[in-house]
Amino acid sequence: MEPHELPWEPVAPQDLPALLTGFAGPWWLAGGWAIDAHLGRTTRVHEDTDVLVLRRDQHAVREVLADWDVHAADPPGRLRPWPVGETLPMSVHDVWCRPDPGSPWALQLMIDDTDPHDPATWVYRRDGRIRRPVASLAGQASDEHRAVLAPEVQLLQKSKGRRPKDQADFEAAAPSLDSKARAWLRDVLGLVSPGHPWVEGLS
């Protein structure tokens, strides 16, 4: 059985702060759980738990998970071990983690980039024209223990694949976006994906 075919037993979102104790970099609950945290309710079954971290902090987060079995997803999706101390290629944005090689997968790290000349600016990996302050990535569902990725940023990340679960997340979250978040997502989708069907739903 290939590594990506092994089962998942995801870390519960409420357990992430304890797991990532000692990691000094910023991190955000991401994926479908971020949408549900924003909405304040569970809208669907979540097969995994995603955490967004910044590429600049990759070695620090790998050190925190030094005792875990951690695999980088090399495009187009081949999993291979990521040892402590290795700098990931710029093409790697997805990392799978489990407590040991005999355990189910428990955590997915999403590796995002910042401007190399301005580390306080986040850069959308699929289109470098889309940028915003790192400090603005945390949405209203964040608290002192855990930052939650802003829903408009998470929906942008989901907009390319448009899997059934991504469509479900958009339909659940779009009506709850405030005017600023709605305008931002509409504008960036119009820039990176002209004609995207979500744009009409944001008008």
Side-chain angles (χ1 to χ4, degrees), residues 105-119:
W105 298 109
L107 180 66
Q108 197 163 356
L109 296 177
M110 316 306 292
I111 311 293
D112 266 16
D113 297 305
T114 52
D115 186 320
H117 304 295
D118 179 10

Side-chain angles (χ1 to χ4, degrees), residues 14-25 27 60-66 68 107 145:
Q14 61 267 26
D15 294 336
L16 289 172
L19 175 63
L20 296 174
T21 296
F23 175 52
W27 61 270
V61 74
R62 185 64 187 89
E63 286 286 351
V64 167
L65 298 173
W68 279 47
L107 180 66
H145 305 292

Side-chain angles (χ1 to χ4, degrees), residues 102-160:
S103 298
W105 298 109
L107 180 66
Q108 197 163 356
L109 296 177
M110 316 306 292
I111 311 293
D112 266 16
D113 297 305
T114 52
D115 186 320
H117 304 295
D118 179 10
T121 297
W122 169 84
V123 179
Y124 180 44
R125 68 183 177 89
R126 296 189 178 102
D127 192 320
R129 295 174 295 176
I130 308 304
R131 296 160 177 253
R132 59 190 277 167
V134 168
S136 75
L137 294 179
Q140 294 180 349
S142 304
D143 58 35
E144 61 180 322
H145 305 292
R146 180 191 69 187
V148 178
L149 192 62
E152 67 272 22
V153 178
Q154 183 57 69
L155 290 174
L156 173 63
Q157 303 275 30
K158 287 175 164 287
S159 65
K160 181 174 175 60

Side-chain angles (χ1 to χ4, degrees), residues 29-50:
L29 175 65
W33 278 118
I35 298 298
D36 279 1
H38 167 72
L39 295 171
R41 66 181 190 276
T42 301
T43 62
R44 63 175 176 84
V45 174
H46 298 283
E47 299 171 349
D48 56 11
T49 297
D50 299 331

Side-chain angles (χ1 to χ4, degrees), residues 154-160 162-163 166-171 185-186 189 195-203:
Q154 183 57 69
L155 290 174
L156 173 63
Q157 303 275 30
K158 287 175 164 287
S159 65
K160 181 174 175 60
R162 289 175 53 207
R163 301 163 295 182
D166 298 327
Q167 183 65 32
D169 287 344
F170 173 76
E171 293 174 1
L185 182 57
R186 183 182 64 240
L189 284 177
H196 196 290
W198 288 0
V199 172
E200 183 177 355
L202 294 164
S203 299

